[in-house]
Amino acid sequence: MLSVSEAQTLILAEARSFGTEKIALEKSFGRVLAENVMADRDYPPFNRSAMDGYAIVAEKFTAQKEYPVLGTIYAGDALASPRRKSEAVAVNGEGSVKIMTGAAVPAPYNAVIRREDARETDSERVAFAAADVKSWHNISRQGEDLGRGDKLPVAGHFIDPMAVTLLASLGVHRPLVHKLPRVTIITTGNEIVPVHKKPKPTQIRNANALALRCLLARFGILRVSEKHVADDRVKLRSA
């Protein structure tokens, strides 16, 4: 009788690749990546607001001072400032821009004060309760997660929901994955009968074949055929 570790060693010695293929990302769950991936741009690709609030220039910040609100920037906007007073005010950092979570923070702004710490005196002016604001406060800086061209060593990783999220974020819509094997299950024994048949007193139903199919399905292996062979050396060898 082989021990479990001996059996594992024998099985792993026969392990090999079945090749690779590119498949649609939405069909890749449960597969294994066959190559590393590369960042196609900086992540985040821009200085991104982490809060709903107001963008300011940190070096120009003064607590309780009223700032003109020069416009509103929504997520996806390049820069929307429908109420901009003047370019000079923005460049000099004397104004503020209302900004939403996920929106791009334009220059010269380099800090975001959250909405909860702001007091709008009217629709066009705002003051802040914060006493001290440093550069890049509440901002995810461009490239702080990944820089363009950075390689991610993901080859050999199982594709789970987190991996799918990463690949989708990087624009990898057809990942290279290892091919799945075609499998034949061979069951043996004169006492075995198909599940749908009524067994004789000395027979049992072929439950193991179905159990193995289920185990293979858990790994996405669905190309499975099945054979049953009686206890006959010639037939076993032929099968």
Side-chain angles (χ1 to χ4, degrees):
M1 178 74 71
L2 293 175
S3 68
V4 172
S5 61
E6 289 172 332
Q8 288 177 335
T9 299
L10 288 173
I11 292 170
L12 292 174
E14 297 297 323
R16 61 180 177 83
S17 171
F18 297 96
T20 60
E21 61 182 341
K22 287 198 171 187
I23 61 173
L25 182 59
E26 60 268 24
K27 296 181 179 179
S28 68
F29 184 76
R31 302 293 289 272
V32 176
L33 286 163
E35 67 177 354
N36 297 325
V37 296
M38 182 181 296
D40 61 327
R41 59 178 182 167
D42 291 340
Y43 289 88
F46 47 81
N47 293 328
R48 183 178 62 204
S49 177
M51 297 280 178
D52 287 349
Y54 294 84
I56 63 161
V57 177
E59 293 79 8
K60 300 282 187 175
F61 176 74
T62 303
Q64 303 302 329
K65 174 184 175 181
E66 287 192 357
Y67 291 80
V69 179
L70 305 179
T72 301
I73 305 175
Y74 296 95
D77 288 349
L79 175 57
S81 298
R83 299 200 309 274
R84 175 172 292 171
K85 302 297 187 301
S86 71
E87 291 292 338
V89 172
V91 171
N92 292 333
E94 302 299 332
S96 174
V97 175
K98 194 171 186 177
I99 195 165
M100 306 302 167
T101 302
V105 181
Y109 303 109
N110 61 358
V112 172
I113 299 177
R114 63 178 187 167
R115 175 67 183 83
E116 293 85 347
D117 295 326
R119 176 174 54 85
E120 294 179 350
T121 56
D122 55 45
S123 62
E124 297 187 358
R125 300 187 71 80
V126 65
F128 305 107
D132 183 34
V133 177
K134 295 181 179 180
S135 298
W136 310 115
H137 183 67
N138 289 329
I139 294 177
S140 299
R141 298 188 67 177
Q142 179 175 343
E144 71 175 33
D145 295 332
L146 286 172
R148 181 177 181 178
D150 285 353
K151 284 188 177 181
L152 284 77
V154 295
H157 283 238
F158 182 80
I159 299 179
D160 57 13
M162 289 184 291
V164 167
T165 301
L166 173 65
L167 295 172
S169 298
L170 296 175
V172 182
H173 61 283
R174 289 187 61 81
L176 185 71
V177 299
H178 290 283
K179 285 184 177 180
L180 295 174
R182 295 191 300 269
V183 174
T184 297
I185 297 172
I186 300 177
T187 55
T188 65
N190 294 337
E191 77 282 13
I192 305 297
V193 297
V195 173
H196 63 276
K197 287 191 176 182
K198 184 176 181 178
K200 295 178 181 179
T202 58
Q203 294 179 320
I204 58 174
R205 293 186 177 93
N206 194 353
N208 285 344
L210 285 174
L212 290 169
R213 279 182 176 271
C214 289
L215 287 169
L216 291 168
R218 288 174 60 183
F219 293 97
I221 301 172
L222 303 176
R223 300 169 68 184
V224 179
S225 59
E226 188 179 324
K227 296 180 181 179
H228 181 75
V229 185
D231 292 324
D232 179 283
R233 185 181 297 274
V234 174
K235 292 179 179 179
L236 284 169
R237 187 176 297 279
S238 176

